[in-house]
Amino acid sequence: MKKPELLAPAGTIEKAKIAFMYGADAVYAGTSKLSLRSRAEMDSDDLEDTIKYAHSLGKKVYVAMNIYAYDEDYAEIREEIKRLDRINADAIIASDPGIIACIKEVAPNMEIHISTQANVTSVESAKFWYNYGAKRVILARELSLEEIDYIHKKVPEMEIETFIHGAMCIAYSGRCLLSDYRTGRSSNRGECVQACRWH
């Protein structure tokens, strides 16, 4: 059996170093503008330093670009993809088909991981993303171990990632409109106020 990869979040380079010190094989990180971590303290320079540090240890950094983009975002998205390719990010995590198309166009050799925000809950969905060029799919958090195993057996050539710890949203993998409706802050843009937990 192939050894599972232990992946941890890293909102700062210090958090990445701690994750690696405690055995993480890889971290995922993103800047506040293009990832769902709008409060991340990681800017582009920090991200580059994190990648260099990780690679010096033989570890990996996957960069989250998992917002659902608007038309005005795409100039910056294209530039960021070029930069991530140049600084040797190990993969980009995305869910928006437009962003994924940009990755394939701008950095055709960049590894693509499909974010949990894409709500992959079936074999057919996993096959779709594999056939579109994704190497890994991060399954919806709501799936059981039996469902995860079934998808893996039906699409064995695709890497499967699943959450083993963390928040569980009331909507499928966080694609919720409640925060936006109540406060004007969109969960799908990394600004969730967790309105579902209010009294």
Side-chain angles (χ1 to χ4, degrees), residues 130 150-160:
Y130 180 77
Y150 181 75
I151 291 169
H152 174 63
K153 284 177 178 168
K154 293 292 184 178
V155 195
E157 59 278 8
M158 178 169 238
E159 291 182 4
I160 299 288

Side-chain angles (χ1 to χ4, degrees), residues 129-179:
W129 287 117
Y130 180 77
N131 291 334
Y132 196 68
K135 181 173 183 186
R136 177 182 297 187
V137 65
I138 306 165
L139 294 174
R141 295 174 235 183
E142 298 76 18
L143 295 181
S144 67
L145 289 174
E146 292 78 16
E147 291 166 320
I148 293 167
D149 185 53
Y150 181 75
I151 291 169
H152 174 63
K153 284 177 178 168
K154 293 292 184 178
V155 195
E157 59 278 8
M158 178 169 238
E159 291 182 4
I160 299 288
E161 181 179 322
T162 187
F163 282 77
I164 58 169
H165 178 72
M168 178 61 76
C169 300
I170 63 166
Y172 256 63
S173 293
R175 288 194 66 183
C176 179
L177 302 177
L178 185 61
S179 175

